[in-house]
Amino acid sequence: MTDVDPDDYSDVWVFVEVHGDEVASVSWELLSEGRRLADEKGEDLVALVIGEDVTEIAEEAVAYGADRALVADDPVFEPYRADPYGEQFRHLVEEYKPDVALIGGTHTGRDFAGRVAVPTHAGLTADCTELDVDDDGLLLARRPTFGGDAMATIKCETHRPQMATVRPGVFDADEPDYDREGEIEETEVVVEEADTLSRVLERSVGDVADITDADVVVAGGAGVEGDFGPIEDLADALDAEVAASRAAVDEGWIEAARQVGQTGKTVRPDLYVAAGISGAVQHLEGMNDSETVVAINSDPNAPIFEHADYGIVGDLFEVCPALAEMIREETRPEVTA
């Protein structure tokens, strides 16, 4: 355990996750939330941008609210590997001493956050869904616990930086202001390819889409009884992503990457269709910011109806195919002789 003086640490950092020329949307979400936290603490918001040819992305980070952007630009950072990213981030943390460091709870963020937290003896809270600061300026990191049945608020009083990985989709990204001015600083790259242990031999992308980016989501729960056919059919008609409640995932009916809820993912689609989902609090936490919610359930007293804009009391095995057919009829082009 290493003693630190918290007064030596200042500013709120946000890691901007870059793959090629694509930025993970959670980065912009965290910059918007980080802006609020930095203002409450009376400190600067700093974007940390690591990658190759990322100066324009650093400029975009300023537009999303950063006062400064620290840039580590080198071919060693593309494609992503945990060891060079972790080593570079750790070096910058030790040099600049940020008070708070926020990282997206993506595969990348979860992969290397511990490589920073452990050697720097930082306090790291994983999979956060809410952030705030107390009267003393300490980060209050809130996350699901006990399998999603409760929420825990965690703060770190004696170690720095206060680190958190944050679930994508729980915060809104503000509109960028490209007239904002901020400082962009090129930092020393302390990693060399010759010293990097890992090599990327091949990259492949799985067939599971990121449901957090979907505009339309059709989710099934325990009521599907192992048959996601009607859910998939309705999703196909709506050009939507298929999702599920924890109950369906726990039964092994669908992959965990599609779970919505406190222990799954948070979605904010324009349309969320919940079929055969009772409406437990754990699930509602993951979808309650949806623009429009349609619930389909055979139980007229199901709690989900209290949180739905439209409700259909009926058997999903009858309702979903009927809705899918109606939608296809409406969108089917007319053929004239």
Side-chain angles (χ1 to χ4, degrees):
M1 182 177 293
T2 300
D3 293 328
V4 299
D5 184 353
D7 292 336
D8 292 339
Y9 292 73
S10 64
D11 298 334
V12 176
W13 279 21
V14 170
F15 169 66
V16 178
E17 181 178 334
V18 185
H19 298 283
D21 57 357
E22 295 291 327
V23 179
S25 57
V26 68
S27 303
W28 307 140
E29 296 165 10
L30 286 182
L31 279 171
S32 298
E33 181 65 8
R35 179 73 272 163
R36 182 183 69 83
L37 297 176
D39 289 342
E40 288 190 25
K41 291 168 61 62
E43 298 176 348
D44 283 349
L45 175 64
V46 180
L48 178 58
V49 186
I50 299 176
E52 182 181 12
D53 298 329
V54 290
T55 300
E56 290 186 3
I57 292 172
E59 294 170 351
E60 194 166 5
V62 171
Y64 273 95
D67 298 301
R68 306 198 318 275
L70 301 178
V71 179
D73 195 318
D74 194 274
V76 74
F77 299 122
E78 180 59 35
Y80 165 79
R81 290 169 292 173
D83 39 345
Y85 267 68
E87 179 65 18
Q88 184 68 35
F89 202 149
R90 182 195 61 77
H91 166 76
L92 293 174
V93 162
E94 292 176 346
E95 179 179 354
Y96 289 88
K97 293 182 167 56
D99 186 40
V100 172
L102 305 177
I103 302 169
T106 62
H107 293 300
T108 295
R110 293 172 178 176
D111 189 36
F112 84 89
R115 292 174 179 260
V116 180
V118 172
T120 58
H121 302 275
L124 171 61
T125 306
D127 199 31
C128 297
T129 57
E130 297 177 34
L131 300 172
D132 208 343
V133 292
D134 67 9
D135 293 339
D136 296 321
L138 289 173
L139 179 69
L140 301 177
R142 189 169 168 83
R143 70 177 307 277
T145 187
F146 296 114
D149 293 330
M151 298 291 288
T153 300
I154 300 170
K155 64 180 180 179
C156 180
E157 297 181 339
T158 58
H159 290 260
R160 292 295 182 275
Q162 303 166 86
M163 295 180 64
T165 60
V166 181
R167 187 181 301 183
V170 297
F171 297 119
D172 287 320
D174 295 333
E175 289 297 320
D177 177 5
Y178 292 101
D179 291 328
R180 286 192 84 255
E181 295 184 356
E183 177 186 352
I184 297 177
E185 179 183 346
E186 295 280 348
T187 65
E188 177 190 8
V189 175
V190 298
V191 184
E192 294 186 5
E193 185 63 48
D195 299 326
T196 300
L197 299 178
S198 60
R199 299 287 184 270
V200 177
L201 302 180
E202 183 180 352
R203 300 181 70 180
S204 61
V205 179
D207 60 357
V208 177
D210 184 359
I211 61 173
T212 61
D213 289 334
D215 294 326
V216 182
V217 173
V218 180
V224 305
E225 299 177 348
D227 181 4
F228 263 79
I231 306 298
E232 293 166 349
D233 185 40
L234 181 55
D236 179 70
L238 288 167
D239 193 22
E241 285 294 337
V242 173
S245 69
R246 177 181 171 183
V249 172
D250 285 349
E251 289 290 342
W253 299 336
I254 194 169
E255 60 267 27
R258 296 190 182 273
Q259 180 180 332
V260 173
Q262 285 181 351
T263 52
K265 294 182 177 179
T266 299
V267 297
R268 296 167 175 256
D270 298 328
L271 173 62
Y272 187 87
V273 181
I277 295 175
S278 64
V281 172
Q282 194 272 351
H283 184 77
L284 296 174
E285 283 290 323
M287 46 69 67
N288 58 10
D289 286 328
S290 302
E291 186 70 24
T292 301
V293 176
V294 176
I296 304 168
N297 203 294
S298 58
D299 179 5
N301 298 314
I304 190 67
F305 287 123
E306 298 178 11
H307 303 271
D309 299 285
Y310 302 94
I312 302 174
V313 178
D315 185 342
L316 71 87
F317 292 97
E318 297 176 359
V319 175
C320 288
L323 286 177
E325 182 58 28
M326 290 174 59
I327 293 165
R328 292 190 176 102
E329 285 291 339
E330 286 294 323
T331 59
R332 187 171 292 137
E334 293 185 6
V335 178
T336 57

